[in-house]
């Protein structure tokens, strides 16, 4: 059913762009507004938003709707001239906002047919609305992270002599489902030994050996909302002083940058807080990515925590804090939590411990 409060948020951001009508084609955004998934593949799917009017959903007749979504449904087929259909509803005397998922094969005819005076990328309106999580979304995100915390303990128990990264990764989904999650939010990263120094390592046939680093970067979906967490363990390993230093630099960077999170903080400053710690510790060149990303219905929602993001945190934002050091000569470590910005502070959604932990 159409979520009027979310729609109102979108229109408030469209107002900033001075846009009165928008064509939403992103299936995730359409789910966000209607609580209904459609998977159109290469076919056209669009939700036309017009100020003070009932939204219009253009839906291929292949897809059934058995419920009232609170929108007007216009059926189309594989041979429908989409431009001609939209001409009936789009105000040709005004600009039309479109989103980043509108394919060129549809957009170019719209331009040629002049269905609007101009076109503007209005993805910003939906992205900014989605970044301000409502109470229901926050509840789901908290539960998704609780499941991730519980799952991490079970993932750690999969570590035993002779096991491979692929074997461990293959069992993660079953564990998630046993804890009431429905799917991965992304394919799990399981990295042994030197593979932990590759930030986006894909699990392979690497066999666990004594003294290995064991990195899990994992997340699940609970009622369509994602979690994401990274923990780094050690298998039957006596850490050197330098290895302890690297681990504790990452842990300190994680915790200190989380501590400054509250409404009104510049995202670049959060990134800097973590990056400065790692740089002063002598490993700045080995922290090779932004500090974090937004998360919600997608594991990577629009928005990030980086030196390039000069916008400020707002109540309802949820994002990752995941500093890392990736040095193949010493150690690969990443520690990641999700952080929720509250009205006057923050909540860290993950509770799994972050102290050095050796698996025996």
């Amino acid at each position: 059913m159409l979520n009027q409060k979310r729609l109102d948020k979108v229109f408030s951001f469209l107002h900033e762009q001075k846009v009165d009508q928008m064509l939403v084609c992103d299936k995730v955004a359409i789910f966000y507004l209607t609580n209904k998934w459609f998977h159109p593949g290469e076919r056209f799917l669009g939700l036309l938003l017009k100020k003070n009017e009932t939204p219009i959903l253009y839906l291929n007749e292949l897809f059934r709707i058995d419920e009232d979504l609170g929108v007007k449904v216009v059926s189309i087929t594989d041979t429908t001239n989409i431009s001609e259909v939209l001409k009936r509803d789009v105000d040709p005397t005004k600009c039309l906002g479109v989103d980043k998922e509108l394919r060129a094969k549809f957009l170019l005819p719209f331009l040629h047919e002049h269905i609007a005076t101009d076109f503007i990328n209005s993805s910003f309106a939906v992205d900014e609305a989605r970044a301000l999580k409502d109470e229901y979304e926050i509840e789901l995100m908290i539960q998704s992270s609780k499941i991730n915390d519980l799952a991490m303990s079970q993932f750690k128990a999969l570590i035993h002599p002779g096991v491979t990264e692929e074997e461990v990764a293959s069992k993660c989904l079953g564990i998630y489902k046993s804890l009431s999650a429905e799917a991965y939010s992304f394919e799990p990263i399981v990295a042994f030994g030197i593979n932990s120094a590759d930030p986006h390592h894909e699990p392979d046939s690497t066999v666990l050996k004594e003294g290995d680093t064991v990195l899990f970067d994992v997340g699940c979906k609970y009622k369509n909302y994602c979690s994401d967490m990274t923990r780094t363990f050690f298998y039957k390993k006596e850490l050197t002083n330098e290895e302890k230093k690297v681990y504790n630099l990452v842990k300190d960077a994680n915790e200190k940058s989380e501590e400054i999170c509250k409404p009104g903080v510049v995202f670049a400053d959060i990134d800097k807080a973590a990056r400065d710690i790692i740089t002063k510790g002598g490993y700045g060149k080995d922290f090779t990515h932004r500090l974090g990303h937004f998360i919600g219905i997608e594991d990577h929602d629009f928005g990030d925590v980086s030196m390039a993001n000069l916008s400020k945190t707002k109540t309802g934002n949820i994002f990752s804090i995941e500093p890392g050091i990736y040095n193949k000569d010493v150690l690969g470590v990443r520690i990641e939590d999700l952080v929720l910005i509250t009205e006057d502070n923050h909540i860290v959604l993950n509770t799994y411990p972050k102290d050095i932990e050796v698996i025996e």
Side-chain angles (χ1 to χ4, degrees):
M1 185 65 180
L2 186 73
N3 190 311
Q4 189 61 48
K5 289 184 178 180
R6 295 180 185 177
L7 184 62
D8 290 343
K9 280 198 293 185
V10 171
F11 271 114
S12 71
F13 289 113
L14 285 175
H15 180 71
E16 292 182 22
Q17 287 190 314
K18 299 181 180 179
V19 172
D20 291 333
Q21 54 184 355
M22 178 181 180
L23 183 63
V24 179
C25 295
D26 182 354
K27 66 183 180 182
V28 179
I30 291 174
F31 168 77
Y32 171 75
L33 292 170
T34 67
N35 200 37
K36 177 74 174 180
W37 280 111
F38 297 100
H39 299 282
E42 79 279 8
R43 295 180 170 88
F44 182 79
L45 172 70
L47 182 67
L48 180 64
L49 309 179
K50 297 180 71 176
K51 193 173 181 180
N52 301 320
E53 294 186 22
T54 301
I56 302 172
L57 179 67
Y58 302 95
L59 183 67
N60 195 290
E61 62 184 12
L62 288 171
F63 305 103
R64 290 180 53 186
I65 298 182
D66 297 321
E67 64 269 44
D68 179 8
L69 295 182
V71 301
K72 176 184 175 182
V73 178
V74 173
S75 294
I76 56 177
T77 70
D78 290 347
T79 59
T80 296
N81 184 321
I82 305 300
S83 295
E84 291 300 322
V85 173
L86 287 177
K87 281 181 179 180
R88 305 171 195 163
D89 304 309
V90 172
D91 187 336
T93 67
K94 294 182 177 180
C95 171
L96 177 65
V98 296
D99 71 20
K100 56 185 179 285
E101 296 301 320
L102 178 58
R103 296 187 177 193
K105 71 176 184 178
F106 299 120
L107 176 59
L108 292 175
F110 298 166
L111 293 169
H112 180 72
E113 295 292 331
H114 303 290
I115 69 170
T117 58
D118 197 6
F119 296 83
I120 183 172
N121 183 353
S122 292
S123 287
F124 146 86
V126 181
D127 291 337
E128 289 293 316
R130 285 175 55 190
L132 303 176
K133 303 294 188 291
D134 57 39
E135 290 184 7
Y136 176 72
E137 292 178 293
I138 290 170
E139 288 176 8
L140 296 183
M141 293 287 290
I142 289 172
Q143 184 58 33
S144 188
S145 284
K146 283 182 179 178
I147 291 172
N148 215 17
D149 282 334
L150 293 172
M152 187 64 78
S153 296
Q154 296 191 41
F155 296 158
K156 188 181 67 172
L158 297 173
I159 299 303
H160 61 80
V163 74
T164 68
E165 294 171 346
E166 289 174 326
E167 289 169 340
V168 172
S170 70
K171 296 178 181 178
C172 292
L173 184 58
I175 289 172
Y176 276 136
K177 289 188 173 181
S178 73
L179 295 169
S180 300
E182 64 258 19
Y184 291 135
S185 47
F186 58 94
E187 289 293 322
I189 296 175
V190 180
F192 296 162
I194 200 63
N195 293 339
S196 64
D198 176 2
H200 279 176
H201 176 70
E202 295 183 5
D204 58 27
S205 59
T206 299
V207 177
L208 179 73
K209 64 181 185 297
E210 191 169 317
D212 272 349
T213 304
V214 178
L215 185 148
F216 286 99
D217 185 346
V218 290
C220 64
K221 284 187 177 182
Y222 175 73
K223 296 185 178 179
N224 294 295
Y225 280 80
C226 296
S227 55
D228 190 356
M229 174 173 61
T230 305
R231 291 294 184 268
T232 304
F233 305 106
F234 303 95
Y235 178 63
K236 294 186 177 181
K237 181 178 180 65
E238 183 73 30
L239 275 73
T240 66
N241 288 336
E242 192 64 19
E243 288 170 337
K244 290 178 182 177
K245 174 187 173 181
V246 167
Y247 186 94
N248 286 321
L249 278 172
V250 174
K251 179 173 177 283
D252 196 29
N254 168 274
E255 294 176 341
K256 291 296 194 297
S257 57
E258 288 176 353
E259 286 175 6
I260 69 171
C261 290
K262 61 181 180 179
V265 177
V266 176
F267 283 104
D269 290 342
I270 303 173
D271 182 292
K272 186 175 186 299
R275 203 167 299 278
D276 282 353
I277 289 170
I278 291 174
T279 299
K280 289 175 182 176
Y283 286 91
K285 65 180 177 58
D286 298 313
F287 181 12
T288 55
H289 55 74
R290 63 192 178 185
L291 181 62
H293 57 84
F294 280 40
I295 184 170
I297 302 171
E298 296 176 285
D299 176 51
H300 282 216
D301 275 359
F302 180 82
D304 65 21
V305 186
S306 72
M307 293 297 289
N309 190 352
L310 300 181
S311 60
K312 295 180 180 180
T313 57
K314 297 178 181 178
T315 300
N317 288 163
I318 299 180
F319 49 83
S320 67
I321 295 289
E322 48 182 302
I325 292 175
Y326 312 98
N327 187 304
K328 295 192 176 191
D329 296 324
V330 183
L331 197 60
V333 177
R334 180 164 64 253
I335 299 174
E336 174 186 17
D337 299 313
L338 297 186
V339 172
L340 162 68
I341 300 298
T342 62
E343 289 188 1
D344 57 4
N345 207 319
H346 75 274
I347 297 173
V348 178
L349 301 190
N350 298 103
T351 59
Y352 195 93
K354 291 182 274 192
D355 291 331
I356 292 175
E357 186 172 354
V358 178
I359 302 171
E360 297 292 347

